[in-house]
Structures are given as C-alpha cells and as structure tokens.
Amino acid sequence: QVQLAESGGGLVQPGESLRLSCAASGSGFSINTMGWYRQAPGKQRELVADIISGGSTNYADSVKGRFTISRDNAKSTVVLQMNSLKPEDTAVYYCKADIRDLNGRTFRYWGQGTQVTVSS
C-alpha cells in the first residue's frame, strides 16, 4: 500500500555534499515520522535523522551540525541534506516512514536503499 522512492546517493569526496530525497506514494495511509537510516557492511542499521509531522527532529550524534533533515508534508517527501561528508558516512541509506493505515494500525516501511560512498 505504500512505496518509498529514494534518490540522491552517489560517490563524493570527503568534505563534499549530497542531498537525499524520499517520497512516499500510495493510498489509505498517513505518515507520522519520516527519516533516514544507514547500514554499513557488517554493522546494524542505525538512525541518521528523522522528523515528525510537527517538525521535531532527531539526529545521530555523528551527523549533528553536518546533516539537516526537512519534510514537505503535502508531498509526503523527506530530504536529507548531507554536508561535510566523511568516509565514515559511507553506507547504504534507507528511507523510513512510520505509517498509520485507515484502521489505525501502524507499520514501518523502508525504501530499497541508496548507496552513499565518501572516498578520496
């Protein structure tokens, strides 16, 4: 019932920037929280940043001051602006949306993932 379309990943050098976008599509749902997680090889998926409808945000300590998350509720879109990228940011980044269906049930949906590689 819901699909998340991600874009913006790629290969950049340290200190450069990328912008990740994620748009939710479908019907019969509302979105509580949207955000981004990442997973590096051999590691668990971790929160990068998320944002609720009211605008409150959460960031991993490792990205505070460098990444900014924003949201367009009308377009069901979340954007992660990533500045001053470091090699440690290299991972597959996954869009996440916490969804409520028409019956009031909650579900977590994931995008397919987009690769971010930071390397010199």
Side-chain angles (χ1 to χ4, degrees):
Q1 59 179 321
V2 178
Q3 290 187 322
L4 304 178
E6 304 159 325
S7 63
L11 172 64
V12 297
Q13 294 183 324
E16 295 183 336
S17 299
L18 284 173
R19 184 189 299 265
L20 304 183
S21 296
C22 176
S25 62
S27 62
F29 69 91
S30 62
I31 304 174
N32 294 331
T33 304
M34 296 188 76
W36 290 91
Y37 286 65
R38 66 187 180 189
Q39 187 168 23
K43 296 185 177 181
Q44 292 187 326
R45 190 173 300 185
E46 65 175 357
L47 172 71
V48 179
D50 64 13
I51 183 169
I52 64 174
S53 296
S56 296
T57 58
N58 295 293
Y59 294 94
D61 288 341
S62 60
V63 308
K64 287 181 179 177
R66 299 188 297 122
F67 292 8
T68 302
I69 192 166
S70 59
R71 177 171 176 170
D72 185 336
N73 289 329
K75 298 180 179 180
S76 298
T77 299
V78 63
V79 172
L80 184 68
Q81 177 66 43
M82 305 187 295
N83 297 327
S84 302
L85 282 162
K86 303 175 180 179
E88 309 93 270
D89 297 317
T90 297
V92 178
Y93 284 68
Y94 296 91
C95 180
K96 180 267 297 186
D98 293 329
I99 303 295
R100 295 183 68 88
D101 67 12
L102 271 56
N103 296 315
R105 298 180 299 176
T106 60
F107 300 90
R108 177 162 290 183
Y109 284 83
W110 296 96
Q112 66 179 358
T114 183
Q115 178 71 45
V116 171
T117 302
V118 185
S119 177
S120 59

